[in-house]
Amino acid sequence: MMAFLETHWLDILTTVLGLLYIWLEYRASIALWFVGIVMPALDIYLYWSHGLYGDAGMAVYYTLAAVYGYVVWTWGRGQQQERSITHMPPRKYLPTAVCFLAAWAATYYILITWTNSTVPVLDSFTNALSFVGLWALARKYIEQWFFWIVVDAVCCVLYVQKGIPFKAGLYGLYVIIAVAGYFKWKQLSKQPS
């Protein structure tokens, strides 16, 4: 048992933090951003040590983006007025798709050029989609949940393949929570402020 815990302690800790994070996101609580700083900072080492270099790089981005998300949620619509949950404007679809494709290509190129990644296509895909997903979350767009459903499903499979069982289970649970989160945010967007 001790050997198991020594091997998987970081996987377990970041999984617990991930559960807290998704619960706070589901509730649209601004506290999610504080957990969003700590968890990815720990994930950097976890992913790097398992050869998921794209995910390790993305964890750096997540850590920094959590600060951005907190600022946008707190002051994004004026002094001391928290941002409301809304739909992504259709004019943002094309630029978002272009950013996703550019990020996917750039991350893929980095992974095949400078790492020994065995999963560059999926690792770069989930990173690129996470990039736009986190941007949509910071903007409190309901559609951010669609990005996370896809990312979480792919990551679940990827983490099973890479021997990170607790994170794999967490991401499987994330798929279910993301579906519920979409409906929860849809309901919250209709409530008066």
Side-chain angles (χ1 to χ4, degrees), residues 150-163:
V150 175
V151 167
D152 297 339
V154 173
C155 282
C156 180
V157 172
L158 192 56
Y159 296 160
V160 165
Q161 291 175 347
K162 285 297 194 171

PDB file of all heavy atoms in Angstrom, residues 150-163:
ATOM      1  N   VAL A 150     -15.333  17.255 -24.843  1.00  0.00           N
ATOM      2  CA  VAL A 150     -14.430  16.597 -25.793  1.00  0.00           C
ATOM      3  C   VAL A 150     -13.038  16.401 -25.176  1.00  0.00           C
ATOM      4  O   VAL A 150     -12.465  15.312 -25.230  1.00  0.00           O
ATOM      5  CB  VAL A 150     -14.338  17.400 -27.110  1.00  0.00           C
ATOM      6  CG1 VAL A 150     -13.303  16.794 -28.046  1.00  0.00           C
ATOM      7  CG2 VAL A 150     -15.708  17.467 -27.791  1.00  0.00           C
ATOM      8  N   VAL A 151     -12.493  17.462 -24.591  1.00  0.00           N
ATOM      9  CA  VAL A 151     -11.156  17.380 -23.968  1.00  0.00           C
ATOM     10  C   VAL A 151     -11.127  16.287 -22.909  1.00  0.00           C
ATOM     11  O   VAL A 151     -10.209  15.464 -22.868  1.00  0.00           O
ATOM     12  CB  VAL A 151     -10.752  18.733 -23.339  1.00  0.00           C
ATOM     13  CG1 VAL A 151      -9.540  18.580 -22.430  1.00  0.00           C
ATOM     14  CG2 VAL A 151     -10.461  19.760 -24.418  1.00  0.00           C
ATOM     15  N   ASP A 152     -12.126  16.274 -22.045  1.00  0.00           N
ATOM     16  CA  ASP A 152     -12.150  15.324 -20.933  1.00  0.00           C
ATOM     17  C   ASP A 152     -12.249  13.883 -21.412  1.00  0.00           C
ATOM     18  O   ASP A 152     -11.581  12.996 -20.872  1.00  0.00           O
ATOM     19  CB  ASP A 152     -13.305  15.652 -19.983  1.00  0.00           C
ATOM     20  CG  ASP A 152     -13.154  17.029 -19.336  1.00  0.00           C
ATOM     21  OD1 ASP A 152     -12.025  17.563 -19.293  1.00  0.00           O
ATOM     22  OD2 ASP A 152     -14.175  17.572 -18.874  1.00  0.00           O
ATOM     23  N   ALA A 153     -13.053  13.637 -22.436  1.00  0.00           N
ATOM     24  CA  ALA A 153     -13.188  12.274 -22.965  1.00  0.00           C
ATOM     25  C   ALA A 153     -11.863  11.794 -23.561  1.00  0.00           C
ATOM     26  O   ALA A 153     -11.420  10.666 -23.290  1.00  0.00           O
ATOM     27  CB  ALA A 153     -14.297  12.222 -24.013  1.00  0.00           C
ATOM     28  N   VAL A 154     -11.218  12.644 -24.339  1.00  0.00           N
ATOM     29  CA  VAL A 154      -9.938  12.269 -24.952  1.00  0.00           C
ATOM     30  C   VAL A 154      -8.868  12.081 -23.878  1.00  0.00           C
ATOM     31  O   VAL A 154      -8.093  11.123 -23.921  1.00  0.00           O
ATOM     32  CB  VAL A 154      -9.504  13.305 -26.012  1.00  0.00           C
ATOM     33  CG1 VAL A 154      -8.106  13.009 -26.525  1.00  0.00           C
ATOM     34  CG2 VAL A 154     -10.501  13.329 -27.168  1.00  0.00           C
ATOM     35  N   CYS A 155      -8.818  12.994 -22.903  1.00  0.00           N
ATOM     36  CA  CYS A 155      -7.819  12.886 -21.828  1.00  0.00           C
ATOM     37  C   CYS A 155      -8.005  11.619 -21.002  1.00  0.00           C
ATOM     38  O   CYS A 155      -7.025  11.001 -20.581  1.00  0.00           O
ATOM     39  CB  CYS A 155      -7.863  14.117 -20.917  1.00  0.00           C
ATOM     40  SG  CYS A 155      -7.045  15.555 -21.616  1.00  0.00           S
ATOM     41  N   CYS A 156      -9.236  11.228 -20.770  1.00  0.00           N
ATOM     42  CA  CYS A 156      -9.508  10.008 -20.014  1.00  0.00           C
ATOM     43  C   CYS A 156      -8.809   8.818 -20.673  1.00  0.00           C
ATOM     44  O   CYS A 156      -8.102   8.050 -20.014  1.00  0.00           O
ATOM     45  CB  CYS A 156     -11.011   9.783 -19.917  1.00  0.00           C
ATOM     46  SG  CYS A 156     -11.474   8.298 -18.999  1.00  0.00           S
ATOM     47  N   VAL A 157      -8.976   8.691 -21.963  1.00  0.00           N
ATOM     48  CA  VAL A 157      -8.347   7.601 -22.713  1.00  0.00           C
ATOM     49  C   VAL A 157      -6.827   7.749 -22.699  1.00  0.00           C
ATOM     50  O   VAL A 157      -6.088   6.789 -22.459  1.00  0.00           O
ATOM     51  CB  VAL A 157      -8.876   7.558 -24.162  1.00  0.00           C
ATOM     52  CG1 VAL A 157      -8.102   6.565 -25.006  1.00  0.00           C
ATOM     53  CG2 VAL A 157     -10.367   7.247 -24.176  1.00  0.00           C
ATOM     54  N   LEU A 158      -6.354   8.953 -22.922  1.00  0.00           N
ATOM     55  CA  LEU A 158      -4.926   9.230 -22.978  1.00  0.00           C
ATOM     56  C   LEU A 158      -4.238   8.902 -21.649  1.00  0.00           C
ATOM     57  O   LEU A 158      -3.168   8.297 -21.618  1.00  0.00           O
ATOM     58  CB  LEU A 158      -4.713  10.700 -23.336  1.00  0.00           C
ATOM     59  CG  LEU A 158      -3.336  11.176 -23.730  1.00  0.00           C
ATOM     60  CD1 LEU A 158      -2.796  10.378 -24.906  1.00  0.00           C
ATOM     61  CD2 LEU A 158      -3.390  12.660 -24.067  1.00  0.00           C
ATOM     62  N   TYR A 159      -4.868   9.262 -20.547  1.00  0.00           N
ATOM     63  CA  TYR A 159      -4.260   9.026 -19.229  1.00  0.00           C
ATOM     64  C   TYR A 159      -4.279   7.549 -18.848  1.00  0.00           C
ATOM     65  O   TYR A 159      -3.383   7.080 -18.149  1.00  0.00           O
ATOM     66  CB  TYR A 159      -4.929   9.882 -18.162  1.00  0.00           C
ATOM     67  CG  TYR A 159      -4.743  11.375 -18.395  1.00  0.00           C
ATOM     68  CD1 TYR A 159      -5.587  12.293 -17.805  1.00  0.00           C
ATOM     69  CD2 TYR A 159      -3.736  11.860 -19.225  1.00  0.00           C
ATOM     70  CE1 TYR A 159      -5.422  13.661 -18.023  1.00  0.00           C
ATOM     71  CE2 TYR A 159      -3.572  13.213 -19.445  1.00  0.00           C
ATOM     72  CZ  TYR A 159      -4.412  14.103 -18.849  1.00  0.00           C
ATOM     73  OH  TYR A 159      -4.244  15.446 -19.054  1.00  0.00           O
ATOM     74  N   VAL A 160      -5.265   6.815 -19.322  1.00  0.00           N
ATOM     75  CA  VAL A 160      -5.250   5.360 -19.122  1.00  0.00           C
ATOM     76  C   VAL A 160      -4.037   4.782 -19.844  1.00  0.00           C
ATOM     77  O   VAL A 160      -3.279   3.988 -19.291  1.00  0.00           O
ATOM     78  CB  VAL A 160      -6.556   4.701 -19.623  1.00  0.00           C
ATOM     79  CG1 VAL A 160      -6.394   3.189 -19.747  1.00  0.00           C
ATOM     80  CG2 VAL A 160      -7.721   5.037 -18.707  1.00  0.00           C
ATOM     81  N   GLN A 161      -3.830   5.211 -21.087  1.00  0.00           N
ATOM     82  CA  GLN A 161      -2.699   4.718 -21.876  1.00  0.00           C
ATOM     83  C   GLN A 161      -1.363   5.080 -21.239  1.00  0.00           C
ATOM     84  O   GLN A 161      -0.398   4.337 -21.360  1.00  0.00           O
ATOM     85  CB  GLN A 161      -2.738   5.302 -23.294  1.00  0.00           C
ATOM     86  CG  GLN A 161      -3.860   4.795 -24.138  1.00  0.00           C
ATOM     87  CD  GLN A 161      -3.925   5.499 -25.493  1.00  0.00           C
ATOM     88  OE1 GLN A 161      -3.283   6.519 -25.727  1.00  0.00           O
ATOM     89  NE2 GLN A 161      -4.726   4.945 -26.390  1.00  0.00           N
ATOM     90  N   LYS A 162      -1.296   6.220 -20.569  1.00  0.00           N
ATOM     91  CA  LYS A 162      -0.038   6.703 -19.999  1.00  0.00           C
ATOM     92  C   LYS A 162       0.170   6.281 -18.540  1.00  0.00           C
ATOM     93  O   LYS A 162       1.152   6.662 -17.924  1.00  0.00           O
ATOM     94  CB  LYS A 162       0.041   8.232 -20.114  1.00  0.00           C
ATOM     95  CG  LYS A 162       0.343   8.700 -21.521  1.00  0.00           C
ATOM     96  CD  LYS A 162       1.701   8.193 -21.950  1.00  0.00           C
ATOM     97  CE  LYS A 162       2.225   8.856 -23.177  1.00  0.00           C
ATOM     98  NZ  LYS A 162       3.606   8.503 -23.446  1.00  0.00           N
ATOM     99  N   GLY A 163      -0.742   5.507 -17.976  1.00  0.00           N
ATOM    100  CA  GLY A 163      -0.552   4.985 -16.625  1.00  0.00           C
ATOM    101  C   GLY A 163      -0.793   5.992 -15.517  1.00  0.00           C
ATOM    102  O   GLY A 163      -0.153   5.932 -14.467  1.00  0.00           O
TER     103      GLY A 163
END
